[in-house]
Amino acid sequence: MKTQFRGAAATLGLAAVAVPLAWARGWAYPVAVAGAVAVLAGVFARWRRGPVLAVAAAILTCAFSRAGTLVLATEGLFILAYLLAADAPAGLTRPGGWLRQQAFGGIAGLIASGAVLAALSLHQVSSAGLSGAVLTGAGLAAAASAYLIALPLGRRQAGRNSDVDVE
Amino acid sequence: MIFHRTERGSSSASPLAASPPGPARWYPAARARGLATAALLALAAAVLTGHAALVLLAAPALGALALLPRRRRPPELSIDVARSGSRCFEGEAVTITVTVEAAPPLDEISVELETALADVEARTQAFLRTGRASARWVIRPDRWGRYSPGTVRIAGRAGAFQTSQRVDLDPLEVFPRPARMRPRLVPAELLRRIGEHTGRAVGEGVEFAGIRPYQPGDQLRDVNRAVSIRRGQLHVNQRAAARAADLVVMIDAFGDAGPVSERALDLAVHGAATLVTAYLRVSDRAGLIVLGGLLRWLGPAAGDRQFYRIAEMMLAARYDSFVTPDVGRIPRTALPPGTLVVVFTPLLDPRGFGALVDLRQRGFPLIVVDTLRDEPPAGTKPDTRLALRLWRLDRTANRTWTRNLGVPVLPWPEHAELDSVLAPLRQPPPSTRRLTGSRP
């Protein structure tokens, strides 16, 4: 990863951890510090679990904060940008090409975020109403679909090994 | 996956560039896993806390995840690892080229060289949206020995899946780089073989050996006009014979494993390489005996090929062995009569002394180069200082004992070339030696 990508990933990760702190409770600060450490370890020590732990810390901080929808939407985009930047390959010879590739992911994230914002503004759902089966089912379905997109096809293909031809 | 390994500029029977990796395994990419985990955590938080707006944390990740292309069939990878050579000298450049071909093209191909060698620029090279990626590194091994220069790690990502392969590069033979020196030390009795050293006998060389009265059959070009006019009788110049010498370098590799032994052995191997190169360059014959573990020897022979045979044998000197060699059974082919023997030894192991005594008793001209530069640490306590003094006394006694055998012992100080280390033993050719105070 080039230096500018490292800097960008660290900045985005620290922003993702720090943004919800303004609306968070006191106990969230140690969580945020742990998240910041995970960000720095992921970026500079190439710790693979760093980004996921940092994102988990950011989500935990948000979950128990009084942040509004706009803040949460911004936070979601920060998380996405951080995850994309943290995945930048090292030794890129053409950073511009890689950035153009990520633009599609960013645009998809923006569209998804806008759609959810629109849905939330249309249906002013109270926190009590969320305990209903609709949101629970939707959340679980979305979570399951997220994992279905990534995992099952890979597992099916894992057993199909390629031939090795040594010359 | 198809794996090729080639050695540039060599036949198919030459050592291979790398060991084959295992079969390629495709699994969910780190990006896909990260996005899915983030989305799952946010949705779980929304469900558990009953806070609908937390879905906003998951939405961008889900959107990006949905955009990642999925392929039903993993791409075929072909990896080609090539190396410019399997042998080199210390500091010499060796080029490693890795070519990865994928059909269909991958979103990202990352090729990384994991090596302990210094001065390797851009260890990782990444390529985007390509079906063929070629990475090239120039490494300069700075330590002699037979070892692998590193591992090549190839990672490829195709949409939501990625694969990773490790290719271990095959060992490289790094020979010690010999310093430049002139082979000026020769045994008193040279071989009856044409070479470049000035012998005691009169012959057809170029060095002046003396003057004698003209005899029928002498060539006219040898007539010394000045002397002939002065004496009123024809005199001719005599020339010393040019003879070849035999040299056998002995490396004392006895000793415990550790940095001190390693440094002494390193010095010995570099000294041996320097001597052997210098003598082989002037058509002398050179051989090698390695003491330590199994007795390894190589009889004197001439030519460049002999240098590589000796260098290969030196590479094996680093490996430990518990075998005690019978130093009294060094065969005659390894040490022909009249061979100059230069022993590189730290003068620590009694078995090394035994070898010296044996060689001296067999009448070989011997030179010992002391390769030990380290001393035990001088502590602050009186006991440690006393121990250090005793150790130094013991070393002095060993050197004196060796000198009493008639063997010169030359210390090799730091930052000194071997040529200057051997300088005290250098003598002018027999014909040019003169007594102090005599007229030229």
Side-chain angles (χ1 to χ4, degrees):
Chain A
M1 199 186 301
K2 282 202 165 186
T3 313
Q4 55 262 39
F5 279 122
R6 283 187 182 182
T11 308
L12 288 166
L14 292 176
V17 171
V19 162
L21 281 181
W23 295 271
R25 294 169 188 169
W27 58 264
Y29 283 86
V31 177
V33 169
V37 171
V39 167
L40 297 176
V43 171
F44 296 107
R46 298 176 74 177
W47 186 36
R48 290 184 179 182
R49 299 196 185 281
V52 171
L53 288 179
V55 167
I59 290 172
L60 189 65
T61 312
C62 286
F64 297 98
S65 71
R66 293 181 297 275
T69 52
L70 279 177
V71 175
L72 290 177
T74 310
E75 175 70 4
L77 290 173
F78 268 131
I79 288 173
L80 172 65
Y82 167 58
L83 286 175
L84 293 180
D87 192 46
L92 265 180
T93 50
R94 292 182 303 165
W98 183 84
L99 281 173
R100 274 193 298 277
Q101 274 189 25
Q102 310 319 306
F104 296 103
I107 291 168
L110 268 176
I111 293 171
S113 193
V116 174
L117 266 178
L120 286 175
S121 62
L122 284 175
H123 306 280
Q124 291 293 328
V125 188
S126 69
S127 124
L130 280 174
S131 58
V134 176
L135 187 56
T136 306
L140 288 175
S145 63
Y147 261 91
L148 279 174
I149 286 169
L151 298 177
L153 189 60
R155 280 183 187 158
R156 279 203 302 275
Q157 288 167 351
R160 196 192 302 162
N161 294 329
S162 304
D163 56 331
V164 175
D165 180 14
V166 178
E167 292 180 359
Chain B
M1 187 190 68
I2 300 170
F3 177 69
H4 304 271
R5 53 217 174 148
T6 51
E7 198 80 39
R8 296 265 165 85
S10 60
S11 66
S12 58
S14 63
L16 299 166
S19 304
R25 194 173 70 85
W26 290 86
Y27 50 90
R31 170 180 300 192
R33 280 179 286 152
L35 290 172
T37 308
L40 181 70
L41 285 175
L43 291 171
V47 170
L48 292 176
T49 60
H51 192 186
L54 286 177
V55 178
L56 283 165
L57 297 178
L62 282 173
L65 193 60
L67 207 70
L68 284 179
R70 291 182 303 146
R71 291 172 180 168
R72 294 194 178 279
R73 186 172 168 274
E76 287 288 335
L77 276 188
S78 167
I79 301 170
D80 180 17
V81 181
R83 201 169 55 183
S84 59
S86 61
R87 292 168 160 188
C88 67
F89 284 91
E90 287 172 322
E92 210 170 63
V94 176
T95 306
I96 296 169
T97 309
V98 178
T99 307
V100 184
E101 291 184 2
L106 300 181
D107 292 337
E108 285 173 16
I109 297 175
S110 175
V111 190
E112 182 181 5
L113 176 67
E114 295 172 349
T115 178
L117 300 173
D119 299 335
V120 180
E121 290 185 357
R123 291 173 187 241
T124 307
Q125 298 180 31
F127 307 88
L128 300 174
R129 289 188 183 277
T130 181
R132 189 176 190 281
S134 183
R136 190 166 167 269
W137 298 276
V138 177
I139 58 169
R140 293 178 190 279
D142 53 357
R143 184 171 170 271
W144 64 273
R146 186 182 287 120
Y147 53 88
S148 169
T151 304
V152 175
R153 187 175 163 275
I154 298 140
R157 185 175 70 81
F161 298 97
Q162 70 179 35
T163 186
S164 181
Q165 287 287 312
R166 290 172 68 90
V167 180
D168 294 322
L169 296 171
D170 278 355
L172 193 66
E173 287 184 344
V174 184
F175 298 141
R177 181 174 284 281
R180 289 195 71 81
M181 73 168 284
R182 288 179 64 189
R184 285 183 277 203
L185 282 181
V186 288
E189 298 299 327
L190 289 167
L191 301 174
R192 296 187 64 79
R193 197 159 58 83
I194 294 173
E196 293 195 13
H197 300 292
T198 305
R200 288 180 176 176
V202 175
E204 295 296 318
V206 291
E207 293 288 341
F208 178 76
I211 296 173
R212 64 166 170 76
Y214 175 83
Q215 289 177 354
D218 284 341
Q219 294 189 9
L220 283 177
R221 69 176 180 182
D222 290 338
V223 170
N224 189 320
R225 290 186 178 187
V227 175
S228 300
I229 291 168
R230 199 158 54 235
R231 296 285 178 98
Q233 185 189 355
L234 280 176
H235 278 72
V236 290
N237 291 333
Q238 285 182 303
R239 290 187 170 81
R243 295 280 188 247
D246 272 2
L247 168 83
V248 166
V249 178
M250 187 179 282
I251 294 175
D252 178 0
F254 289 122
D256 302 326
V260 174
S261 290
E262 190 75 11
R263 278 194 288 274
L265 182 62
D266 193 52
L267 201 60
V269 165
H270 279 94
T274 302
L275 272 181
V276 164
T277 313
Y279 279 82
L280 287 178
R281 198 168 46 230
V282 294
S283 308
D284 289 331
R285 299 196 308 171
L288 178 74
I289 296 173
V290 180
L291 299 177
L294 197 68
L295 181 68
R296 290 179 290 263
W297 57 269
L298 204 57
D304 286 344
R305 189 178 171 189
Q306 177 71 357
F307 172 77
Y308 287 102
R309 290 171 67 195
I310 289 174
E312 280 185 358
M313 184 171 281
M314 280 194 284
L315 298 187
R318 186 167 263 162
Y319 304 105
D320 298 331
S321 172
F322 295 99
V323 179
T324 303
D326 185 0
V327 294
R329 299 186 65 180
I330 299 173
R332 187 185 169 86
T333 47
L335 280 171
T339 303
L340 173 67
V341 183
V342 179
V343 186
F344 290 92
T345 172
L347 290 173
L348 288 176
D349 197 285
R351 290 170 292 182
F353 290 111
L356 289 182
V357 172
D358 178 66
L359 290 175
R360 193 65 194 140
Q361 285 174 348
R362 288 165 69 177
F364 288 101
L366 267 179
I367 297 169
V368 169
V369 179
D370 186 359
T371 54
L372 190 69
R373 287 173 175 172
D374 297 271
E375 278 193 344
T380 51
K381 294 179 182 175
D383 290 351
T384 50
R385 285 202 298 270
L386 181 62
L388 180 61
R389 283 183 61 197
L390 283 172
W391 184 86
R392 284 175 180 162
L393 282 172
D394 188 47
R395 294 276 302 162
T396 309
N398 283 339
R399 286 196 193 118
T400 308
W401 178 83
T402 313
R403 284 193 187 107
N404 289 340
L405 282 176
V407 179
V409 181
L410 304 166
W412 191 343
E414 202 98 30
H415 307 302
E417 296 285 336
L418 184 61
D419 213 5
S420 60
V421 170
L422 297 175
L425 300 180
R426 228 178 278 147
Q427 287 182 340
S431 58
T432 57
R433 279 182 215 151
R434 289 177 178 86
L435 294 173
T436 310
S438 65
R439 290 181 63 190

